[in-house]
Amino acid sequence: MQSEEILQLIARSTCELAPALSTHTFRREDRLAELGLHSVDRAEVLIAVLEALSLTIPLAQLSGPQNLGELADLLQAKVDGR
Amino acid sequence: MDDRPLVTGVGVVSAVGQGRTAFASALFEGSARFHELRRAGRQRGTTFIGAEIAEIKCPSDLSARLPRAISLSALAAVVALDEAWHDAALENMDPRRIGLIVGGSNYQQRELTLLHEAYSERVPFLKPIYGLSFMDSDLCGLCTQLFGIRGLAFTLGAASASGQAAVVEAAEAVQSGRLDACIALGALMDLSYWELQALRSLGAMGSERFAAQPQLACRPFDRQRDGFVFGECCAALVIERPSVSTRSCNAYARVSGWSTTLDGNRNPNPSLAGEVLALRSALEHARLTAADIDYVNPHGSASLIGDETELQALSQSFLRHAYINTTKSIVGHGLSAAGTVELAATLVQMRAGRLHPCVNLDDPIDRDMNWVLGRAREHRIENALSISLGFGGVNTAICLSRSATERAVAPERVG
């Protein structure tokens, strides 16, 4: 799975949690906190994405990325490294 | 000046009606709605019966601010609280002087059961929000966020006396001066098949005798009773200091006295001595005699031993003369919510000047009590006594007295 596909998966999971963002054009530079998601919502998005990717890793391993693009890249690496 | 607290707001959600007016109408008509339980998570090869709320209608301005997914108990709580809040016009009060006490513990069991079932094979992907929502106190977080409550908020567990215990603590908090108003909310007890099964096995919950006739099953104080019948409900009462400006003119009644006694008993069997002590202590606290009480709203759960014991307690407390009816025969047993819902029933009867009938009381175990039978009757309650009893040896009693500051309302506004 490519990083761009994962980015779109993150976008879909985010919109399921926050329907108001359904008209937002998600970009690599976006940050969930700046899009208005509080900590619990951000954790919910990440868990939903992990389940969609069938990745069972601790959320702590996803704390490095500074934006959605870096997050998608990291998740791609995790998927490829399985 | 009489500084005992007043009840200035009432909100109710129940299977027989949402809102004070619908609730009161159902009580006066004696229109119960018991059936085989249908909500997901209530049956597992079983046919438990009870009363379930068809739909909770949330005001649009409130629903727009609700989080994405909240439990049934939470939805009932915010809707009941919203009604009581506006009834008491609490938006005009300093939020730091307003408190919330939620009566009940483990009241989201069905939601938790469904969640556990859904994630049993995928635990790593359990929704993180569970880390907040599994706790009863999540209801406090939600309500304080939605209503801007800043004074105090916590949950209080006393089994089936939780709802009344919450009112007792709210009255104490207000009378002490710590708060100007405290909402006592009896949380909707959302039982799963686990709790229903255990309560049936304990012999506490019915009905074997009327399993095929749910409408006949809930029979407090009747010789054919065989245990309580569950009913979804939730109520919020605003308990307020009488000295707070001119707000007191909206009072339903004064909380004139209260009592909580403990039997020192973990088992579910009732204590005659404990109940008598609770009744007498509440009267003493209210500065009333038994003769002053003209209406009793009993616990009346349809327990085989409990109902007998409670009537003995009323007799020994010289309360046989008072009108007595059985709110649970119409609403069902709300467990954590029962105490506040039955106080709400008492208050709407006080406001309306009418008493609702007992349903299914065809052959009372004591015919000489002053039962309200058949149809609603006109009666202007002066002093009411409400009783709630809980597993773990908890006995609570609250006196509500007609207050000189009650709002003058035409009887037809309620019921």
Side-chain angles (χ1 to χ4, degrees), chain A residues 16-56:
Chain A
E16 281 178 19
L17 195 78
L21 292 172
S22 59
T23 55
H24 176 73
T25 302
F26 286 81
R27 302 167 305 149
R28 288 181 57 87
E29 298 73 30
D30 283 341
R31 295 165 62 93
L32 291 179
E34 290 172 2
L35 290 175
L37 273 67
H38 57 64
S39 62
V40 177
D41 284 344
R42 296 197 299 273
E44 295 261 299
V45 168
L46 291 178
I47 288 291
V49 171
L50 288 178
E51 182 169 22
L53 296 173
S54 299
L55 268 179
T56 52

Side-chain angles (χ1 to χ4, degrees), chain B residues 1-86:
Chain B
M1 180 185 173
D2 191 339
D3 69 343
R4 291 173 296 175
L6 300 169
V7 183
T8 57
V10 175
V12 184
V13 176
S14 78
V16 298
Q18 177 177 329
R20 294 185 301 278
T21 302
F23 177 66
S25 292
L27 289 177
F28 296 132
E29 290 163 18
S31 57
R33 289 181 202 157
F34 296 104
H35 52 76
E36 190 170 308
L37 296 173
R38 295 185 279 260
R39 210 179 286 283
R42 292 262 164 85
Q43 308 284 7
R44 192 163 176 171
T46 51
T47 53
F48 299 127
I49 60 174
E52 293 174 321
I53 300 168
E55 180 193 2
I56 299 179
K57 295 184 177 64
C58 190
S60 55
D61 62 324
L62 184 59
S63 65
R65 296 182 293 127
L66 289 179
R68 184 174 44 91
I70 60 173
S71 67
L72 178 67
S73 303
L75 180 58
V78 299
V79 169
L81 176 47
D82 185 68
E83 184 182 22
W85 183 275
H86 292 294

Side-chain angles (χ1 to χ4, degrees), chain B residues 36-247:
Chain B
E36 190 170 308
L37 296 173
R38 295 185 279 260
R39 210 179 286 283
R42 292 262 164 85
Q43 308 284 7
R44 192 163 176 171
T46 51
T47 53
F48 299 127
I49 60 174
E52 293 174 321
I53 300 168
E55 180 193 2
I56 299 179
K57 295 184 177 64
C58 190
S60 55
D61 62 324
L62 184 59
S63 65
R65 296 182 293 127
L66 289 179
R68 184 174 44 91
I70 60 173
S71 67
L72 178 67
S73 303
L75 180 58
V78 299
V79 169
L81 176 47
D82 185 68
E83 184 182 22
W85 183 275
H86 292 294
D87 195 20
L90 286 182
E91 59 271 14
N92 300 324
M93 187 178 283
D94 180 353
R96 294 168 299 179
R97 299 292 298 168
I98 302 174
L100 169 68
I101 301 177
V102 175
S105 49
N106 307 98
Y107 41 74
Q108 302 181 106
Q109 292 300 102
R110 189 187 60 88
E111 297 266 353
L112 301 185
T113 294
L114 293 175
L115 203 69
H116 294 167
E117 286 178 352
Y119 284 90
S120 63
E121 301 299 316
R122 50 186 183 125
V123 173
F125 305 120
L126 178 64
K127 291 181 185 298
I129 192 89
Y130 182 75
L132 291 179
S133 64
F134 84 93
M135 289 183 278
D136 294 331
S137 53
D138 190 44
L139 219 66
C140 294
L142 179 65
C143 290
T144 55
Q145 175 177 298
L146 289 172
F147 295 91
I149 297 166
R150 292 290 184 273
L152 163 163
F154 55 83
T155 66
L156 187 159
S160 292
S162 297
Q164 234 191 53
V167 173
V168 168
E169 292 306 311
E172 294 273 352
V174 159
Q175 192 168 47
S176 72
R178 181 177 179 185
L179 300 168
D180 291 335
C182 190
I183 302 133
L185 187 142
L188 187 153
M189 190 71 150
D190 194 3
L191 298 178
S192 78
Y193 52 75
W194 294 112
E195 294 76 41
L196 291 164
Q197 180 62 52
L199 289 165
R200 171 64 74 83
S201 298
L202 268 181
M205 190 182 85
S207 167
E208 194 62 38
R209 187 170 283 134
F210 296 97
Q213 299 167 289
Q215 282 294 98
L216 301 180
C218 192
R219 321 178 65 84
F221 302 112
D222 187 81
R223 287 191 189 281
Q224 296 298 309
R225 72 197 186 283
D226 64 344
F228 79 81
V229 181
F230 170 60
E232 289 179 345
C233 55
C234 172
L237 306 181
V238 178
I239 312 298
E240 197 170 328
R241 286 176 68 205
S243 58
V244 179
S245 66
T246 58
R247 299 169 47 77

